[in-house]
Every structure is written in C-alpha cells, then in structure tokens.
Amino acid sequence: GDSVTQMEGPVTLSEEAFLTINCTYTATGYPSLFWYVQYPGEGLQLLLKATKADDKGSNKGFEATYRKETTSFHLEKGSVQVSDSAVYFCALSDKSGGYQKVTFGTGTKLQVIP
Amino acid sequence: DAGVIQSPRHEVTEMGQEVTLRCKPISGHDYLFWYRQTMMRGLELLIYFNNNVPIDDSGMPEDRFSAKMPNASFSTLKIQPSEPRDSAVYFCASSLTVAVETQYFGPGTRLLVL
C-alpha cells in the first residue's frame, strides 16, 4: 500500500537558518503530494501541494518539488522564523478502489529558537 | 463561519467506559472525515462520509469504534469499550470535495484512557 516516510524530529534551528525536512513516498499510482502544518493546539492546515512530477509547490517562503525519480518531496525554506515552529506533515493522495485515499507521514516537529 | 467545531476538546476516562466525540462540520460541506493522531502512527484516516453516508470505513481499527452522521451538521465517533491504546488526538475535518487539500480541520479532541 501507499506510505510516507518523514525524517524524525525534533528539528531545532536558529532563526534565519536554512530548513530541509525530508519526505519520501511509495505509491502504486500517480499521487498528489502535500505538506501540512500544525500549530500547537490547532488542526492541520495545508501548506503547499504538487500534483505531478517536477511540479514545485510554494507558500509562505516554503517550497517542495515533486521528484518522481527519487520518490521524494522534501520541504525547504531559506530562512526560518520563530513563528515557523510547528509540526510539519508530508502526505500523499491517491485513488484506491475508486475512492480518494490520503496517507500522512508521522510528522516532524520544528523548533526555531531566537 | 466558526470553522469545524469539535467537542469535548479534552476527555479523560477510564478503561472500559464509553466515549463519544462530537463534530459539527462547516455549513454546506458535503464531506466529513474522522482522523486519529498518535505519536507512533501519525495521522490516520478512520472513516469519511459524503452526504451523511459512510463511504470508506476501512481505517476504523476495530468493532469497538463506530461513527454516525445523523444529519448534515453533526457527526459522532464512539468508542465502546475504551482501552488505553485508544489514547490519541481525534480530528474531524470537512470539505466541499473529497480532495484532501480542500479539507478544513477542527482543533481536535485529546483523549486519554486510563
């Protein structure tokens, strides 16, 4: 079945550091890929998405490129801020049995210190 | 709009007790999803409804779990009897379409079974 593997956290960075959170996937079809962010005490919010190979999703300074050859969708940001501290989830969406199924990674906690 | 509303926000109960989690989706959303989030397994889709009808319940862990949607503005997730391994954060989400990127998540219910 489909699966998503994320790097384990927590990731601790100083403000303005470069961020990479790795994500790889396995899927039987041609999935869409997503990054979600969860701030403390809140539900998940969509951060960015990519629907086909070589697409780059971007939002709020974050970006990720859909790499079919390496089955990866790594999240990057050039300069993190304290307000970026949250848990980040990689996810894929695929059709299985005619229904849309979504698979989430286990999440990576990011802590940004001033 | 108030967004997706979940109650209670926190629940502590003893093993063997019945637990009922509640969700009010965003008005006009035809899809409603229940997720469970744990440290070990991350975020898992339990079940989703379309127009109050359960479409895919393959993620429901066992017969102790049941979900209903008696009308377009209310859904429940029930665990009977509860066990310590059911301790998790349970999220409800709603959307206009089945696509995961259109889902709005509620703040979650943190359940602790002693």
Side-chain angles (χ1 to χ4, degrees):
Chain A
D2 296 345
S3 68
V4 175
T5 302
Q6 290 181 235
M7 60 189 290
E8 289 195 17
V11 174
T12 302
L13 295 174
S14 297
E15 207 164 19
E16 298 184 4
F18 184 86
L19 168 71
T20 300
I21 300 178
N22 290 338
C23 171
T24 57
Y25 68 91
T26 58
T28 53
Y30 299 93
S32 296
L33 301 175
F34 309 89
W35 277 101
Y36 280 80
V37 59
Q38 183 182 27
Y39 298 103
E42 298 182 13
L44 276 69
Q45 302 174 28
L46 179 66
L47 181 60
L48 53 84
K49 70 175 184 180
T51 57
K52 61 182 188 297
D54 300 324
D55 268 2
K56 177 185 283 188
S58 61
N59 186 25
K60 299 180 182 179
F62 291 89
E63 45 180 50
T65 301
Y66 190 144
R67 300 284 188 203
K68 191 163 183 279
E69 64 276 14
T70 55
T71 61
S72 64
F73 192 56
H74 304 322
L75 182 68
E76 296 181 336
K77 186 175 185 183
S79 175
V80 294
Q81 306 300 312
V82 173
S83 57
D84 294 327
S85 298
V87 181
Y88 292 82
F89 292 87
C90 186
L92 70 83
S93 177
D94 200 359
K95 280 201 173 173
S96 175
Y99 302 125
Q100 197 86 22
K101 292 191 81 76
V102 59
T103 303
F104 286 87
T106 53
T108 302
K109 185 174 183 179
L110 170 66
Q111 296 175 320
V112 181
I113 54 178
Chain B
D1 197 318
V4 175
I5 299 172
Q6 291 186 246
S7 65
R9 293 294 308 275
H10 303 273
E11 176 82 24
V12 180
T13 191
E14 294 188 344
M15 183 174 63
Q17 296 297 306
E18 178 180 292
V19 175
T20 300
L21 311 181
R22 297 173 176 79
C23 176
K24 177 178 168 52
I26 293 172
S27 177
H29 282 190
D30 294 331
Y31 290 85
L32 183 140
F33 306 80
W34 281 102
Y35 292 89
R36 178 174 66 176
Q37 183 182 41
T38 61
M39 290 292 290
M40 291 300 294
R41 300 173 66 91
L43 194 68
E44 304 171 281
L45 176 65
L46 299 177
I47 184 171
Y48 79 88
F49 295 83
N50 177 216
N51 291 326
N52 313 335
V53 176
I55 302 300
D56 183 359
D57 64 355
S58 59
M60 295 286 266
E62 49 198 273
D63 292 344
R64 297 184 298 106
F65 285 69
S66 62
K68 294 182 179 179
M69 193 164 185
N71 57 61
S73 59
F74 184 65
S75 177
T76 59
L77 178 67
K78 189 173 292 187
I79 309 173
Q80 167 63 18
S82 58
E83 297 182 3
R85 60 194 168 115
D86 302 330
S87 298
V89 181
Y90 292 82
F91 288 100
C92 177
S94 71
S95 64
L96 289 169
T97 76
V98 72
V100 63
E101 65 264 38
T102 66
Q103 294 176 26
Y104 288 80
F105 282 76
T109 295
R110 186 174 294 275
L111 173 65
L112 177 61
V113 183
L114 302 174

